[in-house]
Amino acid sequence: MSSSTSGEPPGLRTGTLSTADISFFVVSAAAPLTVMAGVAPIALVLGGIGAPAGYLLAGITLTIFAVGFTTMSRHVRSGGAFYAYIAQGLGTPLGIAAALVAMVGYNGMEIGVYGLLGSATADTAGALWGVDLPWLPIALGGLLLIWYGGHRSIDFGAKVLGVLLVAETGILVLLAGGVLLKGGADGLSLASFAPGNVLVPGTAAVLAFAFSAFTGFESTVIYRREARDPARTIPRATYIAVGFLGLFYAFVVWTVIQAFGDDKVVAAAAGDTGGLFFAAITTYVGSWAADLMHVFIVTSIIASLLAFHNAINRYALALAEEGVLPAALGRIHPRHRSPYVAGIAQTVLGAAVVLGFAAAGADPYTQLLLWVNTPGMLGLMALMLLAALAVVRYFRRVPHQEGALRTLVAPVTAAALLAVAIWLVASKVALFTGASPTVNAVLVAVVPAVLVLGILLAYRLRRTRPEVYARFAEEPPTGQPAEPHPDPHAEPHPDPVAEQPTEGADASCPQPPTSSSSTPASVPPNRAATPLSPSATD
């Protein structure tokens, strides 16, 4: 309901978000401009002119994942998204562990980016106006700005993200248009997609960067309770987001290659990694466009922060309603219908982390951003892998009329490809962080450690609060939207880990009512090649 009756607590603003609104949220979380200007040049240095194909391959993999993911969204209507899918498919212990990984992952993806906001804004002020700004006040101001955006209604956030997303994608389209109109440096070439340029040793590193560039697209299902006709809106937004990102990334990287020429772009990227896109747009459009790109990178970061902040708040809300997190986090603002207490808690946590790194004298880019963002990225990729496996197990347990392509072939294929993607990112983590082997080992170990801790907490919850454990991620009554307070007398969903149901056992199946996303890579050996460094021609 969009409004509560007298005496009832307010709920989220249901039936508010269209397909376009949800697409704005998830594409904004990916921060396309920041990914392109800050990360794509590194992919070119490592993988050569075949880098655009890496983004296409990552997009195809995640589209395959989306097949099973969106099919399950028609059957599992809980507001818990990833953790609800994993609980329904793989059992409550893994579901609770997934919830913990989700909170760590999404918070890692957001909080680290405040370091990028501080350093990027300072770089932009220096490049455009010659002003030397400290990063910490900028990051703290960003925390307040993002808190306010999350405090307001969800449709307000969608409008803000829509404007910011149009700005950041528009400047990239302007760059691409300028290159195409002038025919590039040596004429237009499709050599980037030739097998000999794609199947090279550096492709593994390109794929690691490419997969990280999509992080956040899966958050469509988090907005289920606020979506119009979620049975159609959620799948459409998911496919639009992953399809747009895959094609757009590949197209933009290809046009930048044309801007310098197939035989010169790698040397140009290596010589001025952070300034590659600024040099290209200055040459093909004008210095005024390079100035706009500086500004829009900052707004791109703000859009990503707001998108992740909203996602985190809704996960916290769902877990508060489950009884796993304190009930106060489940309070909804009576006017804006936002999970405002969860937003306050997330902002306080972000401020504590930012201030802690600042007190330790850490660099906002190479340490706050990269050290916090990298485990977050790995956590969300691990959740996608578990969700793909959960789809297979879920549809083997419950009666349904879905085809084998959606419930078996696609999710099994996606699980295998995602496992390879996680291995690629973990094995190439030094490219993302530029840190010592010890630091990298700790960063990679965070996700499995949290997963194990979550399983242990799940079994403790089963002993100490069995009623909460039994109702965890259960479905709302058939035909009803997910509500904040589940029916305490409802039959809990089967737990395949704890109860070991036999294959083919009957189970109820509800009728369907229905970064920046990537960690900007470190650029050894010097700090000058950060995403916001102006080029010599700017």
Side-chain angles (χ1 to χ4, degrees):
M1 298 175 64
S2 59
S3 60
S4 60
T5 59
S6 177
E8 293 182 353
L12 294 174
R13 198 183 298 274
T14 59
T16 298
L17 299 178
S18 66
T19 298
D21 293 331
I22 297 175
S23 299
F24 287 149
F25 273 106
V26 297
V27 175
S28 295
L33 178 55
T34 304
V35 166
M36 289 289 93
V39 181
I42 314 299
L44 284 168
V45 171
L46 297 172
I49 64 172
Y55 289 95
L56 285 180
L57 291 172
I60 291 169
T61 297
L62 296 176
T63 300
I64 296 171
F65 164 76
V67 172
F69 186 62
T70 56
T71 300
M72 198 163 181
S73 74
R74 297 198 294 266
H75 295 259
V76 178
R77 297 172 295 134
S78 167
F82 268 140
Y83 80 71
Y85 291 13
I86 293 166
Q88 291 280 354
L90 301 179
T92 301
L94 270 176
I96 293 174
L100 192 59
V101 171
M103 292 301 293
V104 171
Y106 278 102
N107 273 287
M109 289 303 300
E110 191 210 22
I111 294 172
V113 177
Y114 284 110
L116 178 60
L117 176 64
S119 62
T121 305
D123 286 350
T124 295
L128 299 184
W129 305 294
V131 178
D132 185 15
L133 297 178
W135 72 269
L136 182 57
I138 298 171
L140 295 177
L143 278 158
L144 293 176
L145 179 63
I146 299 306
W147 162 80
Y148 177 75
H151 179 78
R152 293 291 302 273
S153 62
I154 192 68
D155 49 336
F156 171 83
K159 291 182 176 66
V160 170
L161 290 178
V163 172
L164 298 181
L165 182 61
V166 168
E168 66 175 300
T169 55
I171 198 70
L172 289 171
V173 170
L174 187 64
L175 166 60
V179 173
L180 295 178
L181 286 174
K182 295 183 180 180
D186 305 309
L188 302 181
S189 164
L190 294 177
S192 291
F193 303 100
N197 292 321
V198 174
L199 303 176
V200 297
T203 299
V206 173
L207 286 171
F209 284 109
F211 276 106
S212 68
F214 288 80
T215 309
F217 91 93
E218 75 294 332
S219 60
T220 50
V221 293
I222 297 173
Y223 301 101
R224 179 185 182 88
R225 284 161 56 175
E226 295 157 290
R228 302 174 196 164
D229 190 8
R232 292 182 174 86
T233 303
I234 298 301
R236 287 174 182 171
T238 304
Y239 285 120
I240 287 172
V242 71
F244 171 79
L245 289 172
L247 293 172
F248 190 67
Y249 286 154
F251 172 68
V252 170
V253 176
W254 174 77
T255 57
V256 169
I257 293 171
Q258 306 314 301
F260 292 90
D262 292 341
D263 57 343
K264 300 181 185 69
V265 67
V266 174
D272 188 12
T273 309
L276 187 72
F277 274 65
F278 296 104
I281 201 168
T282 298
T283 300
Y284 288 90
V285 182
S287 59
W288 63 270
D291 292 344
L292 276 181
M293 183 176 281
H294 277 291
V295 174
F296 288 161
I297 282 181
V298 175
T299 61
S300 168
I301 296 167
I302 292 172
S304 179
L305 285 166
L306 180 56
F308 275 112
H309 180 72
N310 277 307
I312 293 164
N313 293 349
R314 279 148 185 80
Y315 259 110
L317 169 68
L319 288 170
E321 292 169 353
E322 301 276 10
V324 175
L325 292 181
L329 296 176
R331 292 178 186 169
I332 305 294
H333 194 280
R335 178 183 174 188
H336 300 306
R337 301 299 173 80
S338 62
Y340 73 106
V341 177
I344 294 171
Q346 202 280 326
T347 301
V348 170
L349 174 62
V353 174
V354 169
L355 289 171
F357 271 79
D363 183 90
Y365 179 83
T366 61
Q367 293 174 311
L368 173 54
L369 170 68
L370 301 179
W371 291 10
V372 177
N373 213 209
T374 298
M377 174 183 64
L378 286 168
L380 297 191
M381 294 180 74
L383 288 175
M384 283 192 277
L385 172 59
L386 290 173
L389 296 174
V391 172
V392 177
R393 176 62 177 148
Y394 176 80
F395 284 109
R396 287 177 64 83
R397 287 180 42 245
V398 302
H400 62 86
Q401 296 182 345
E402 306 286 357
L405 177 63
R406 290 178 171 274
T407 61
L408 181 63
V409 177
V412 167
T413 303
L417 293 173
L418 284 166
V420 172
I422 292 171
W423 175 80
L424 284 173
V425 173
S427 64
K428 304 292 182 182
V429 70
L431 297 175
F432 290 88
T433 66
S436 68
T438 301
V439 170
N440 289 331
V442 171
L443 296 179
V444 171
V446 167
V447 173
V450 170
L451 196 63
V452 171
L453 177 62
I455 293 173
L456 295 175
L457 290 175
Y459 285 115
R460 183 176 184 276
L461 186 66
R462 188 169 66 176
R463 291 194 308 272
T464 60
R465 301 174 67 193
E467 72 288 350
V468 172
Y469 180 90
R471 294 199 305 267
F472 185 81
E474 71 178 358
E475 284 293 278
T478 303
Q480 299 293 324
E483 294 293 339
H485 305 290
D487 179 3
H489 303 294
E491 189 71 16
H493 65 77
D495 179 353
V497 173
E499 301 177 22
Q500 295 296 325
T502 58
E503 187 68 22
D506 292 337
S508 61
C509 177
Q511 296 299 318
T514 34
S515 295
S516 134
S517 73
S518 76
T519 305
S522 60
V523 188
N526 56 59
R527 177 72 162 76
T530 60
L532 282 304
S533 300
S535 68
T537 59
D538 183 9

